[in-house]
């Protein structure tokens, strides 16, 4: 609830690929696979950012806050890199 998202039994957390998306990824090759992988990974990173940010802001142990803040920075930087990789391949992130 702290992420404004309740995960019911059988639901996926925000950013997690569905079985159908993973099956589609397994069926792709070459550039199409690269693009779809990057698109799914951007969603995955964006889905995890609120959790990491919450940890950085609210964890009681300093080492947990430090680690969570490092995860936020790393994943934000990776999203920027993956978006650039998509542009180089003539593609965009999923909506």
């Amino acid at each position: 609830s702290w992420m404004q998202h309740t995960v019911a039994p059988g639901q996926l957390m925000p950013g997690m690929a569905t079985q159908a998306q993973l099956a589609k990824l397994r069926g792709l090759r070459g550039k199409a696979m690269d693009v779809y992988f990057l698109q799914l990974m951007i969603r995955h990173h964006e889905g995890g950012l609120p959790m990491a940010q919450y940890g950085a802001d609210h964890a009681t142990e300093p080492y947990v806050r430090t680690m969570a803040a490092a995860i936020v920075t790393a994943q934000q930087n990776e999203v920027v890199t993956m978006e650039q990789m998509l542009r180089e391949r003539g593609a965009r992130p999923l909506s």
Side-chain angles (χ1 to χ4, degrees), residues 13-28:
M13 291 179 60
M16 297 297 290
T18 65
Q19 288 301 313
Q21 290 168 323
L22 293 174
K24 177 180 175 179
L25 181 65
R26 282 190 291 274
L28 298 172

Side-chain angles (χ1 to χ4, degrees), residues 4 7 13 17 26 32 36 39 48 52 54-55 61 72 80 87:
Q4 270 81 54
V7 179
M13 291 179 60
R26 282 190 291 274
Y36 197 56
Q39 290 170 327
Y54 187 87
E61 296 291 335
V72 168
V80 170
R87 283 190 297 277

Side-chain angles (χ1 to χ4, degrees), residues 29-43:
R29 298 289 178 266
K31 179 181 170 183
M33 193 282 295
D34 295 344
V35 166
Y36 197 56
F37 172 80
L38 291 167
Q39 290 170 327
L40 291 177
M41 284 306 297
I42 289 170
R43 271 195 179 166

Side-chain angles (χ1 to χ4, degrees), residues 2-3 13-16 41-55 68 71-72 75:
W2 54 264
M3 291 192 333
M13 291 179 60
M16 297 297 290
M41 284 306 297
I42 289 170
R43 271 195 179 166
H44 183 71
H45 277 34
E46 290 173 342
L49 280 170
M51 185 186 329
Q53 187 63 59
Y54 187 87
I71 290 169
V72 168
Q75 288 197 345

